[in-house]
Every structure is written in C-alpha cells, then in structure tokens.
Amino acid sequence: MNRIWTNLLTASLMSLTIHAHAATLLVGSYTDGASQGIYRYQFDDKVGHIDPTPLQVVKSVSPSWLVLSADQRQLFAVNETPQGHASSFSISSKGEIKPLNQVATEGDEPTHASISRDQRYLFVANYAVKPDPGGSLVVIPVARDGKLKPVVQQARHQASGVNPERQAGAHVHSLVLSPDGQHLYASDLGADKVFIYRYDGASADHPLTAAIPASVALPPGSGPRHLLFDAKGRHAYLTLEMNAEVVMFDVQDGNLVERQRLPLTEHQEAAAKAAGGLHLSADGRFLYVSNRGTANEIVVFGVSKDDGQLTFLQRRSVEGDHPREFALDPSDNFLLVANQKSNQIVVMRRDPRSGKLLETVQTLQQDAPSDLKFIE
C-alpha cells in the first residue's frame, strides 16, 4: 500500500513539475496554403520546446494578428483579406478556443489590432494594399459576452506619396495604446506619420478624437510600421519599415519627441530594408527588432535605464525567411520567430544577463506563421 501511495505521489509531483514549465502558445497564420488558421500549442519553457502536435486547430481565414483580452479569456483576430474581417473567440478555463462571431472591418487587408484598456473597443488597422481608397483605422465595440459589434468609427489619413509604388495611399500598419490607455497611436506607412488620438470610452459612437498635436512626422519615404512603449510609458520605440531603422522617443503629455534613430542594417540596397516587429525584454533592459527582406535578422539593443536610449549589441540570423513577427516566452529565456515565407517557427535561447540570442534549440515546421502570442 505504501508503495502505491509513493508511486501516486511521485506521479503527481511529476505532473506538477511538467505543468509548471508549460505555457500555451497561439500561432496566427496566413491560409493561402496548407495552414487552417489559429494553432494552439504547448510550450515547455524549461527546455524551449514546442510540442509539435497542436492542442487545437481553429479554422479561420488568414488570422494574421492575434489580440488577447486582459483576463486572457477572449481572443480576437484580424482576418487579413480583401474586404477584411475581425473575429472573436472565447477561451475556456482549460484553454479551449471557441468561435463567437465575426464582423467586417470596413476596409481591406487588416494587419493589426489592439483592445482598449477598459476592454470596450477593438481598434483595427486596415492596411489596404490598393491605394484607393487606401488604409484606415476603425473602432469596433466589444459586447459584454465578447462578441464584436459593427464598426462605429473610421479614420483615414493623407498619404505622403513619396514612394509612388508603396505610398500612393494611406496604409495604417499598427494601432498601439499608451500604457495608461489614454492615447491611441496609428503608425501609417503610407503617410510617413504616427497619428495620435485621445481615447474616451464614455463616447459610445466616437471614442477617438485627434490629439494636439495630431501627428508626428517621420522622414519622407521611411514607412512607420510598429510602435512599442516601455512599461512606464516614458519612452517609445518605432520601426521604420522602408528605411530599416528604429526610432527612440521620449513621451511628453502624449506627444512623441524623437531622441534617437539607428539603422538595423549596414546594407544600402532596398531589398535589405524591411523592418518589422519589436519587443522589449520583461525587465526592459533589451530591445529586439526584426529586419526582413534579404537581411532576415533579429537586431538586439541595450536600453539605458536612465534615458531609454539604445546601444547596438547583436545581429542574429533568424535561420529562415521573412520573420513576420516574434515573441519572448513567459520565462524570458527564449525568443520564438515566425518565419512566414520559410514556413517555420524558430526557437532561440536567450541570455537574460547579456540580452544576446544564443543557439537555436528547435525549428518547428508551420505553414505561413504570422503572429505568436502566449497565454500565461
């Protein structure tokens, strides 16, 4: 009898140990090929390994960007297609994802979304490949049951036209809220500007109004893409896709004041310039930025604790093609890269002390991955 209890206790402790090192990884993807939509995997953050057998596959058309609610019980996705849509899902206590509903985004090729701090609105960036009518920002209410309602507000910007092929129309690429939730920042690749809006959740049909100043201008033809704030909201970082640069700002009363701009590559040819996503380590000491094109690298910077400025540390190959997005795992010991065009997720070990990326510990075949989100 004692042996039986000992075996049961050992099994229970082993189960707890396994569970303690398990995190849930959600993968958004493009479904033009073999992918079916959203994939839910188990990730072991002790060894940096994704279990290759998905826990669940949720069928959805090109859910290229994923957004989790604050309590991680709801999931939203943008369906990046002509005549785009946004989709809502519930997440059970066991992690099971269930579709709720879908609404039109009143625009084409939505690429990014974020949710208001009060969880009342989903902000969607319609990139729109065609210049006419071009991209837009839309506001979609979120009902108490998690379902999405029709668009209540839309904003369009004036394109810069500097690059006649890529900037003939507005192309809203990302929508990011300030940490205090009071401002929304729209990075418009086609306009060479970041537009700033004030958020008022009490205004049901018009929660966004232009801030003063209403925008921040970037270099002509630079193509702003993704913006990121530090935890305290004192500094912000922005990728310039077409210039392959990262910009560091001080944040002053909602305005962005440029302090630093650094290149992501030493190559001058346009093919090597395709800046993408960026993420800070949990402790805020390191910034990671992707550069796609012919470079296909993650560039690592140190972040000054005094003024937020950046110091170059490392360039690391993603060992694949077109790192559409990447993520640091909950332990901050691994960095996962979604290489869209080479159909793989690459897991790299990370040194928390130096911030540098070390050896690759896993390469998982995954068709056209576009976004990575962890449920903790």
Side-chain angles (χ1 to χ4, degrees), residues 227-288:
L227 184 73
L228 172 70
F229 287 88
D230 67 8
K232 295 182 178 179
R234 296 187 305 153
H235 309 294
Y237 304 91
L238 172 72
T239 50
L240 302 179
E241 178 174 333
M242 297 163 63
N243 276 8
E245 293 180 325
V246 60
V247 185
M248 176 262 166
F249 300 96
D250 286 342
V251 183
Q252 298 178 358
D253 298 323
N255 190 28
L256 302 177
V257 180
E258 183 176 336
R259 295 299 185 206
Q260 188 182 28
R261 189 164 4 120
L262 296 174
L264 298 176
T265 179
E266 297 175 347
H267 298 286
Q268 295 305 310
E269 63 270 21
K273 296 181 178 182
L278 71 173
H279 296 280
L280 286 162
S281 58
D283 58 14
R285 296 173 54 223
F286 303 100
L287 178 71
Y288 300 83

Side-chain angles (χ1 to χ4, degrees), residues 85-116:
H85 288 81
S87 299
S88 176
F89 307 84
S90 65
I91 303 176
S92 73
S93 58
K94 296 182 179 180
E96 191 78 13
I97 298 171
K98 179 181 178 181
L100 292 177
N101 78 323
Q102 186 180 78
V103 299
T105 63
E106 305 295 338
D108 301 338
E109 291 91 22
T111 60
H112 191 276
S114 58
I115 190 168
S116 60

Side-chain angles (χ1 to χ4, degrees), residues 126-128 130-131 133-136 156-159 168-172 188 190-191:
N126 288 315
Y127 181 84
K130 295 181 179 179
S136 64
R156 295 187 182 275
H157 309 135
Q158 182 66 43
H171 298 298
V172 183
D188 196 319

Side-chain angles (χ1 to χ4, degrees), residues 144-164:
R144 290 182 180 273
D145 61 2
K147 292 183 179 179
L148 298 174
K149 297 182 179 181
V151 169
V152 295
Q153 185 178 2
Q154 186 172 49
R156 295 187 182 275
H157 309 135
Q158 182 66 43
S160 70
V162 173
N163 184 313

